[in-house]
Amino acid sequence: MLFRRLACTLHHLIPPLASAFSRPYLVSVRATSSTWGLKKQRVKNLEKARVLNKMATNNDAEATLAPLRSSVKEQGDYVRSLKENKGSDNDLARAIAELKLRKRTLEDKELELAKPASGEFDRAKMEDLIKRRFYYEQSFSIYGGIQGLYDFGPMGCAIKSNFLAAWRKHFILEEHMLEVDTTCVTPEPVLKASGHVDRFLDYMVKDVKTGDCYRVDHLIKANLEEVIKDKKTAEEDKNKAAKLLGQLDNLDKQGFADAVTSWKMKSPITGNDLSEPVEFNLMFGVSIGPTGLIRGFLRPETAQGIFVNFKRLLEFNQGKLPFACAQIGNAYRNEISPRSGLLRVREFTMAEIEHFVDPSNKDHPKFENVKELVLTWFSACNQMDGQAAQKVAVGKAVADKLIANQTLAYFVSRIYLFLVKVGVDPSRIRFRQHLSNEMAHYACDCWDAEILTSYGWVECVGCADRSAYDLTQHTKATGISLVAEKPLPAPVTVDVVEVIPNRALIGKTFGKSQKKVLEHLSVMPEKEILAFEEDLKSTGASKLTIGGEELAFTKEMAEIKRSQKTKHVDEFTPGVIEPSFGVGRIIYAILEHNFRTRPDDEQRTLFALPPVIAPLKCSVLPLSSNPGFQPLVKQISEALTLNDISHKIDDSSGSIGRRYARADEISIPFGITIDFDTLNNQPTTVTLRDRDSMEQIRIGIDEVVPLIVSLVNGRSNWDAAVQKYPKFTAQETTGKKD
Amino acid sequence: MLFRRLACTLHHLIPPLASAFSRPYLVSVRATSSTWGLKKQRVKNLEKARVLNKMATNNDAEATLAPLRSSVKEQGDYVRSLKENKGSDNDLARAIAELKLRKRTLEDKELELAKPASGEFDRAKMEDLIKRRFYYEQSFSIYGGIQGLYDFGPMGCAIKSNFLAAWRKHFILEEHMLEVDTTCVTPEPVLKASGHVDRFLDYMVKDVKTGDCYRVDHLIKANLEEVIKDKKTAEEDKNKAAKLLGQLDNLDKQGFADAVTSWKMKSPITGNDLSEPVEFNLMFGVSIGPTGLIRGFLRPETAQGIFVNFKRLLEFNQGKLPFACAQIGNAYRNEISPRSGLLRVREFTMAEIEHFVDPSNKDHPKFENVKELVLTWFSACNQMDGQAAQKVAVGKAVADKLIANQTLAYFVSRIYLFLVKVGVDPSRIRFRQHLSNEMAHYACDCWDAEILTSYGWVECVGCADRSAYDLTQHTKATGISLVAEKPLPAPVTVDVVEVIPNRALIGKTFGKSQKKVLEHLSVMPEKEILAFEEDLKSTGASKLTIGGEELAFTKEMAEIKRSQKTKHVDEFTPGVIEPSFGVGRIIYAILEHNFRTRPDDEQRTLFALPPVIAPLKCSVLPLSSNPGFQPLVKQISEALTLNDISHKIDDSSGSIGRRYARADEISIPFGITIDFDTLNNQPTTVTLRDRDSMEQIRIGIDEVVPLIVSLVNGRSNWDAAVQKYPKFTAQETTGKKD
């Protein structure tokens, strides 16, 4: 349930993109570019260099940050004391808003200081490459385009498909998860039960004349930032504006209305007046079937499709817990004003896992495997105290109760390992814990994997301990018990209160609903039975809400029986740990982290994607149009196909350098070139070029495909290849753009 | 565009499931069951046996079919003569309806005769297994379920995922196709241009009191079939009903209305009166964005997402033709009355390929590879002549002009090879050509891959030569030229008529639409330019429809210039060959064709799926709960994971026979058992069991995983394994259901 925005957490789960937009954080990439090409340093050494660099500057930075840190801590302590002394809700809300403001100021400064002096990430340049080589593009652009909808072109689609294959392998295969594929079209009662119908909303205001809509929090933010920037604004007003900006996440409908009115905000395009803020549910409505009577929505997350199938899944797993069920699929959110490219869109792919577990034991059998892993944790405490995120080994984090339990920590670790595997820069990943006031009401602990991009820290994976919330909700709505059983150590005798229904009368009274009613009566908790009994006794009648309907019962319909029973098993509603991945966001971050410019030619840009997700693994390049090359091209291509290695044959007429540059642009990690030596010498050899170092080796034609297979599978690497095979040196001509 | 039902082809492209429903064709499976288990015959011999069997009975059958065949031929000839002599449309329509009726009678008899005496396929038994092991299930069943929506459970989802991986490999990887991933949400103008807004519809009638909706052709069919079956019906009425039944596919709105009225049809459930037939568009409408002003639909096919990106795709392919672009994704059809399980649903996955080609040369470079392949062709001629489908080699089919061109024939062949690879019974595949009157108006040749199931012949893959229809439509709608270029053999001088726009005035007049207008003027065909010129000359003004808007031009806005130009390239709109797969339908057919019952135990049912799409490849079974087995289970599981082999560890307490039966039910092809010999003997060995033959071999623990890898990849087979390793004989206890 990544990005879920129920009312209580309405503005928390999404990082403040708008503010990041106006204060772009510029990530170093040039720092890495000096290692390209002729200098022949290895890409993977970059990481080390970057970390060392950072450590050197850390001391100066900390001096600057110290006062900001203590300002946060002071306010954090104040919030804590209010909580302890049960301060008024109003006081607490104001104090938290102030805390957030101080946190934001601190984070801005941290990002500013982290900005490397050596160079800047050039987003426009990257977007040019993305567009030019059709990684992705706004949908229906020949029709003018639709905001918030993106099409993945051949390269983007292949990256996504490789990403999902890697995800399936890392999670489903390695962890023996179940996987389901459920529908996007979802009937209303399901999303009513999950809370989305009532609470999955944003507030918007309309231009009273044109009807254009604006998300009110974005509009207020943009306005206040203008006010603060404006030199003519009085100091007092600047302070007021800054304060309101800090409270934005906590405003309710009235709060938004007051802000718009008191600051006299107008429609940003026309200058017209704005309407009162209105609630806008973010789900796309659809009507199912020809009558138009079955109301439904496109799912806003894939998770509910797993919860409603829980009973069958548990059965499939032979009744045993824990087990995890995953789903990869599309979800839909009718954003009021989508923006920031792939980061906030209306149709997107999610990959979600629901791990069902006995809530009394959240240990994990494979925890041993990850406990030495050191991660960056940005705990709620750190945030309240104005401290930086801290690096702690996973084992210690659980032992110190930094994170709630082993299973949650195990998934956090697996998420981290996956992100690094698919190309996210490990130094730009942190796990941020939700503050208690931003946690959804059902969750007992929640950590977001945030990735640092030029838009700031972006929430890319949520990892929440959701307790028993969803299963309980669906049981309430359907009357169908969604529980698991575990054997008791020894049988116990218990007092039982149960409803004995008068089946004939119930059948006669409720007709088709009979089954649902009987099911409901059979699973009613003791407390409800006692209230029901009390009603029947005192008034001779009672009402129960079953499957959304209120039904009237008379005392003839049911008898309350008390008895003693021997129990061999215990029934319980499983807890759920949920890692939830926003696929498009992560892919965007991977592209940013792997965007490179060749140092000798500003115009030569490329993505240094790891082979596992590179769209094509290999290019096959005959040096010229000499017909003697063709049979060899065919031979190599067939061998690659036989080994499932996606590849591109580029026998176009461009110079070899130009073709290498073109292969680099679409991130092909390896290139096989067939040259005249291939034709003339025995044994037959080809050259193999590595995209990242631009080095080439000379290798036997029969050896090259097996080598590529092992390079792509990660069972070998370029360093080892260079050790084994002779280097081939040829000046790579600059590949001008074609 | 599989299953596309534009008005002109409204009822043709979907096989008549309803009628198949009431006349179930019972496919032999028992014939195969005698080969199971102790008799130890090989599954793959079955096919041979079946074919031999059929040939023996063919002669008797043909005698019965002969009069029916000539009845079809007589009518087919009559239709041909009407066409040649330009008979009235009315006469032709009636004659075609009669032809279809005779074809159907013939096909029914063919299916009846093909029904093997040896046994029957038991659909209920298969559906029980599908439900019990959660292959798939109606969605939201705890909420009462929604018609036409299905969830794939763990096994169905894994099959689907393996199916799609195999599809990607067979088509995208092997044929070097591009792949895209475009959005489901589609704005209205796109689907207006493609023809879906106006013509993607069915007719329905409503119960005037309850409002329940029925698809009118289904309702009429069910009614007429009742009439015919009813012993009290007069012979004359029976004939009339049968005749109308045969014409059903050709009825228009008035025809449906007349049928309902003249036969006094009522609502099937309540007996109430019915409304007039009304058109119902099958697309799910959605409104995009908060204003509700951007109207859109969920795509009814994935193809349009490719067409609207044609320009970028061609550019990505460096301007070269031919190239193919594929897409796998969901599509949506709001069926009036979905039924037949996975065969007609409201949300489904398609895999489509658009192969763009120079229309003047539809040869295919890899045609050589398939020309010896013998396929079953059911040509339009065969259908008109009452002949059976014929087996012809692909090369001969093209040479004889049975099929339009090499590229279309190449794709038909690749479709066949794919279907067989993923487990469709090759003897139950035929390619049926569309009759000229059922072909969509844009197509010049179309062959459906039809698969025989217990619902009759089901269209599972369409393969159409769609010519330049879609690209032309999108150009008309957007004014953006969607063409390719090819070099002329020698430059030619041509007379050119072009519009020279007055840019300043056009900019002033049309404001934001300026770009669209200029683009449109620059690509207007000569004929339109001349008409435009004529208007401007005679009246001083003219109107043009650009991007759906009618715009008024004055003679000041444009000048018509005549000149001579030297052309080096020729521009043309590419033709499109489109293979289009209905994923759910094919998976359903695979399940039916691979459903088996063990001969020694009627209750032991299983799916003998080929390893490539089996949901899990291997089970790992410790013989008992002896703790000594655990390290070996772990060792084997880790080795399997390292080799990407999905597997299931079943260490539950059931007997080994029961656990084998459970593994069979979820179609696991191979099972590794660790027994006491494993613990006690040196070298360490395990047993490996083959699901289909139930044979076991004894094999070294280090050899078993490599063997499974090669069995799963299809690089080895069980016969070879049995030759190499000693057989292990142990009576397999009957695995009672758990």
Side-chain angles (χ1 to χ4, degrees), chain B residues 641-653:
Chain B
T641 302
L642 200 68
N643 285 279
D644 299 346
I645 301 289
S646 59
H647 59 283
K648 183 182 166 76
I649 298 167
D650 186 355
D651 53 6
S652 61
S653 57

Side-chain angles (χ1 to χ4, degrees), chain B residues 178-434:
Chain B
L178 307 178
E179 185 185 356
V180 296
D181 179 23
T182 72
T183 61
C184 290
V185 171
T186 307
E188 186 170 34
V190 176
L191 294 163
K192 182 88 186 164
S194 68
H196 288 88
V197 170
D198 295 326
R199 291 180 290 183
F200 192 66
L201 36 85
D202 275 340
Y203 290 95
M204 67 176 182
V205 286
K206 283 193 181 190
D207 182 312
V208 292
K209 290 192 182 152
T210 64
D212 288 339
C213 299
Y214 301 95
R215 208 174 122 175
V216 70
D217 55 337
H218 290 178
L219 178 120
I220 294 172
K221 179 171 283 167
N223 259 280
L224 295 177
E225 284 170 352
E226 277 304 306
V227 167
I228 293 167
K229 264 191 280 172
D230 190 342
K231 283 183 188 150
K232 284 176 279 175
T233 310
E235 204 54 31
E236 192 193 351
D237 285 345
K238 278 193 186 179
N239 288 339
K240 265 170 71 184
K243 189 155 187 181
L244 184 55
L245 208 50
Q247 291 169 338
L248 209 50
D249 288 351
N250 294 322
L251 294 185
D252 59 5
K253 188 174 174 181
Q254 189 57 48
F256 288 131
D258 292 346
V260 170
T261 321
S262 62
W263 290 88
K264 298 190 176 58
M265 293 176 187
K266 302 288 176 189
S267 174
I269 292 171
T270 61
N272 294 332
D273 284 341
L274 293 167
S275 72
E276 286 275 295
V278 289
E279 292 171 354
F280 177 70
N281 193 300
L282 295 177
M283 293 192 293
F284 283 96
V286 287
S287 98
I288 308 168
T291 61
L293 297 176
I294 309 180
R295 204 172 140 61
F297 299 94
L298 300 183
R299 63 180 175 197
E301 58 176 25
T302 66
Q304 298 306 323
I306 298 176
F307 295 130
V308 297
N309 281 305
F310 171 74
K311 221 176 148 174
R312 293 198 158 275
L313 291 167
L314 179 66
E315 212 173 280
F316 184 86
N317 207 46
Q318 297 165 249
K320 284 191 294 188
L321 283 189
F323 73 88
C325 182
Q327 174 157 219
I328 296 170
N330 277 4
Y332 295 82
R333 296 180 187 185
N334 196 6
E335 297 286 348
I336 294 169
S337 42
R339 52 182 170 178
S340 313
L342 289 189
L343 295 188
R344 181 164 306 160
V345 293
R346 287 172 168 155
E347 174 170 342
F348 51 95
T349 302
M350 303 181 88
E352 297 193 293
I353 295 163
E354 310 299 325
H355 179 87
F356 297 97
V357 62
D358 177 351
S360 70
N361 180 6
K362 292 184 180 172
D363 287 350
H364 196 284
K366 288 164 82 179
F367 186 68
E368 282 297 307
N369 300 354
V370 298
K371 68 178 192 180
E372 307 294 340
L373 186 68
V374 175
L375 300 181
T376 303
W377 308 83
F378 196 28
S379 70
C381 269
N382 292 154
Q383 293 168 63
M384 300 274 279
D385 291 346
Q387 288 172 0
Q390 36 176 171
K391 286 183 189 295
V392 179
V394 174
K396 186 165 158 42
V398 172
D400 293 354
K401 301 201 186 315
L402 175 61
I403 183 166
N405 57 63
Q406 281 190 5
T407 298
L408 193 59
Y410 181 74
F411 277 113
V412 161
S413 309
R414 294 286 296 165
I415 290 166
Y416 173 85
L417 293 171
F418 174 74
L419 292 175
V420 173
K421 188 185 282 177
V422 293
V424 178
D425 174 356
S427 75
R428 288 184 254 178
I429 302 172
R430 74 176 183 193
F431 289 89
R432 192 181 74 79
Q433 189 175 29
H434 284 205

Side-chain angles (χ1 to χ4, degrees), chain A residues 221-377:
Chain A
K221 178 170 285 169
N223 259 280
L224 294 177
E225 284 170 351
E226 278 305 306
V227 167
I228 294 169
K229 265 191 278 174
D230 189 343
K231 284 183 186 154
K232 284 176 280 175
T233 309
E235 205 55 31
E236 189 192 353
D237 284 345
K238 277 193 188 180
N239 289 339
K240 263 172 73 184
K243 186 154 191 182
L244 184 54
L245 209 49
Q247 292 169 338
L248 209 50
D249 289 352
N250 295 322
L251 294 186
D252 58 7
K253 190 173 171 180
Q254 192 54 49
F256 288 131
D258 293 346
V260 170
T261 322
S262 62
W263 290 88
K264 298 190 177 57
M265 292 178 189
K266 301 288 176 189
S267 175
I269 293 172
T270 62
N272 295 331
D273 283 342
L274 293 166
S275 73
E276 285 275 293
V278 289
E279 293 172 353
F280 177 70
N281 191 300
L282 295 177
M283 293 193 291
F284 283 96
V286 288
S287 99
I288 308 168
T291 60
L293 297 176
I294 309 180
R295 205 173 142 59
F297 299 94
L298 299 183
R299 63 181 177 198
E301 59 176 22
T302 68
Q304 299 305 324
I306 298 175
F307 296 131
V308 297
N309 281 305
F310 170 73
K311 221 176 148 175
R312 291 198 158 278
L313 292 167
L314 180 65
E315 212 173 280
F316 184 87
N317 208 46
Q318 298 164 249
K320 285 191 295 191
L321 284 189
F323 73 90
C325 182
Q327 175 158 220
I328 297 170
N330 278 3
Y332 295 82
R333 296 180 186 186
N334 197 7
E335 296 286 347
I336 295 170
S337 43
R339 52 182 170 180
S340 314
L342 289 189
L343 295 187
R344 180 165 307 162
V345 293
R346 287 174 167 154
E347 175 171 342
F348 52 95
T349 302
M350 303 182 87
E352 296 193 294
I353 295 164
E354 310 299 326
H355 179 87
F356 297 98
V357 62
D358 177 350
S360 70
N361 179 6
K362 293 183 180 173
D363 286 350
H364 195 286
K366 288 163 82 177
F367 186 68
E368 281 297 305
N369 300 353
V370 298
K371 67 177 194 183
E372 307 295 340
L373 186 68
V374 175
L375 300 180
T376 304
W377 309 82

